[in-house]
Amino acid sequence: MAAKKKRKYFYDYSLLFAVIFITGFGMIMMYSASGYSAQSQMNDAMYFLRHQAVFAAGGLVAMLIVSVIDYHLTAIFSKILYIVAWLLIVATMVIGVASHGSARWIRLGGVRFQPSEIMKIAVIVLLSYLITHYGYQINNGRTWWKVALVGIAPGIVVAATNLSTAMIILGITFFMMWIASKKYWPFVLCGVAGVLVYIFAYPMAKLLSALNILQDYQLTRIFAWKDPASYSDETFQTLQGLYAIGSGGIFGKGLGESVQKFLMPEAQNDMIFTIICEELGLFGAISLILIYVFIIYRLFDIARNARDLYGSMLVIGILCHISLQVILNIGVATNTIPNTGVTLPFVSYGGTSLILLMAEIGLALSVSRQIRLEDPT
């Protein structure tokens, strides 16, 4: 009698090590970009590095803990997480801390964080649960809208103060619903509409300005993107970033040798990709992009082989989140799209973003742990 095939389970160590590597790389580049400003402003060149190291350590712990917890438990708390995220969004509107022209932050117990980052995870988890719960009923028009509003509603509300995060929330919702639904034409129409909005952004911004729909700083970003010469003050950071990219050449000036970081405000945040281009050149930029491609590929592979639909949709949501954030950040750095204030995942300075992104990776690793592999021996 033939021996029974043994069952063993998979754990995606390649994804784990890729995330640890890119986080470590991000800390090196963040220190290179922030050392001068930290010394001049805080009298401590390692101020931002030390804080980022704490965030990275917390994120690593969160990632490892979440990775060994059964991901199905998130379905139980999906609605609670979503409600809490909404309460925090509303609280931000009332007692939010202003930063860069809008109240995006909230301070609780001495800790400052962005509730909109929590909303991204809440939307991914609840959408995954509802798509799994309704199954084929998702193709029914009424059910489709009921589920889609989980992401559309917060996206619209968040857009008032944080357009970049709203774009990511709506983008996650768009792709998750597209994958879950059999109907393709509504998504094709949305895609065409998105392309038209991109092409005609300038006249549309003027129309929105006349209708008082968007805030002044959001409209100014669009105007400055299309006509930077007329908005030299608003485009200062963008122009310095383009100078940095152009001066980096093929192999860059060398680690720590950036000139634009002395001129660019908060280079360690949204524009850190331009410093990478300047110091490591086109070679460094492409290498970083390839690491992101590898992470996205590993997430795709986990989603494709997930044990069930819920696990697959969770990882698809995480994949969409990271992909959109990378594309938007690099698009802003190269002035392909208006400045939206999106961080570069695992690389830019920022505690809330880093910890929650690593927790999402932990969730993807939890899904990978339940992928069964057959041992032919």
Side-chain angles (χ1 to χ4, degrees):
M1 183 177 177
K4 258 189 172 180
K5 289 183 178 179
K6 295 179 182 178
R7 292 277 187 181
K8 62 180 182 179
Y9 293 90
F10 174 74
Y11 189 91
D12 202 327
Y13 288 103
S14 59
L15 174 61
L16 173 65
F17 292 134
V19 169
I20 292 174
F21 175 81
I22 199 171
T23 302
F25 171 79
M27 290 175 63
I28 293 171
M29 294 309 306
M30 191 273 304
Y31 174 64
S32 176
S34 67
Y36 171 77
S37 60
Q39 182 63 42
S40 60
Q41 296 172 20
M42 313 291 181
N43 200 30
D44 179 4
M46 299 187 69
Y47 176 84
F48 293 109
L49 176 63
R50 189 163 49 249
H51 281 70
Q52 190 76 346
V54 173
F55 298 144
L60 179 61
V61 171
M63 179 172 64
L64 294 176
I65 291 175
V66 172
S67 72
V68 297
I69 297 175
D70 187 349
Y71 65 89
H72 293 98
L73 292 175
T74 59
I76 300 173
F77 301 102
S78 58
K79 294 180 181 178
I80 296 174
L81 177 62
Y82 186 73
I83 292 170
V84 169
W86 262 114
L87 292 174
L88 290 172
I89 292 293
V90 173
T92 305
M93 296 177 179
V94 179
I95 58 172
V97 179
S99 176
H100 297 86
S102 59
R104 303 178 180 180
W105 302 80
I106 192 170
R107 192 182 298 276
L108 293 176
V111 178
R112 196 180 77 158
F113 63 96
Q114 283 186 282
S116 56
E117 295 293 329
I118 298 175
M119 180 59 80
K120 293 176 187 176
I121 298 181
V123 167
I124 291 171
V125 173
L126 187 55
L127 277 179
S128 300
Y129 167 74
L130 292 176
I131 289 170
T132 305
H133 174 73
Y134 286 109
Y136 286 108
Q137 294 180 42
I138 201 75
N139 296 294
N140 177 277
R142 187 173 181 180
T143 304
W144 190 95
W145 278 107
K146 181 179 178 180
V147 176
L149 280 173
V150 167
I152 294 173
I156 293 172
V157 173
V158 171
T161 56
N162 195 339
L163 186 58
S164 57
T165 299
M167 289 169 62
I168 292 172
I169 291 173
L170 292 173
I172 290 169
T173 305
F174 176 88
F175 286 107
M176 290 184 71
M177 295 302 295
W178 179 25
I179 291 168
S181 176
K182 283 186 175 180
K183 296 179 181 179
Y184 290 99
W185 64 265
F187 301 97
V188 172
L189 289 177
C190 286
V192 172
V195 172
L196 292 176
V197 168
Y198 179 80
I199 295 172
F200 299 103
Y202 191 65
M204 285 187 66
K206 286 191 171 183
L207 175 63
L208 293 173
S209 178
L211 297 175
N212 293 319
I213 293 177
L214 293 181
Q215 296 187 21
D216 290 340
Y217 78 94
Q218 293 172 330
L219 292 167
T220 301
R221 285 179 177 177
I222 298 173
F223 295 147
W225 168 55
K226 285 294 186 180
D227 188 14
S230 302
Y231 295 85
S232 56
D233 292 338
E234 288 79 5
T235 58
F236 178 79
Q237 189 180 44
T238 299
L239 290 173
Q240 296 305 318
L242 293 175
Y243 295 151
I245 294 172
S247 63
I250 302 297
F251 297 105
K253 296 178 177 178
L255 186 62
E257 299 299 319
S258 168
V259 174
Q260 299 305 321
K261 67 184 178 184
F262 297 112
L263 304 173
M264 189 186 304
E266 299 184 356
Q268 72 277 4
N269 291 341
D270 307 339
M271 301 297 284
I272 195 169
F273 182 76
T274 64
I275 304 301
I276 294 171
C277 290
E278 184 181 9
E279 295 190 351
L280 304 181
L282 181 63
F283 175 80
I286 291 177
S287 298
L288 177 62
I289 291 171
L290 288 176
I291 296 172
Y292 281 122
V293 170
F294 178 76
I295 290 172
I296 291 166
Y297 165 71
R298 292 311 312 150
L299 289 171
F300 170 76
D301 197 52
I302 293 171
R304 185 168 58 91
N305 294 287
R307 181 180 177 183
D308 51 29
L309 178 61
Y310 179 66
S312 181
M313 293 308 303
L314 276 177
V315 181
I316 286 169
I318 295 167
L319 184 155
C320 292
H321 177 197
I322 294 175
S323 301
L324 287 168
Q325 205 151 315
V326 170
I327 291 169
L328 289 175
N329 180 273
I330 295 177
V332 167
T334 56
N335 201 37
T336 306
I337 62 174
N339 195 327
T340 55
V342 179
T343 58
L344 189 60
F346 310 109
V347 176
S348 294
Y349 177 76
T352 309
S353 175
L354 181 60
I355 291 174
L356 293 180
L357 277 169
M358 294 184 81
E360 286 185 24
I361 294 296
L363 196 56
L365 290 171
S366 175
V367 175
S368 79
R369 287 182 66 246
Q370 296 197 31
I371 297 174
R372 291 181 177 178
L373 298 176
E374 288 190 357
D375 187 349
T377 59

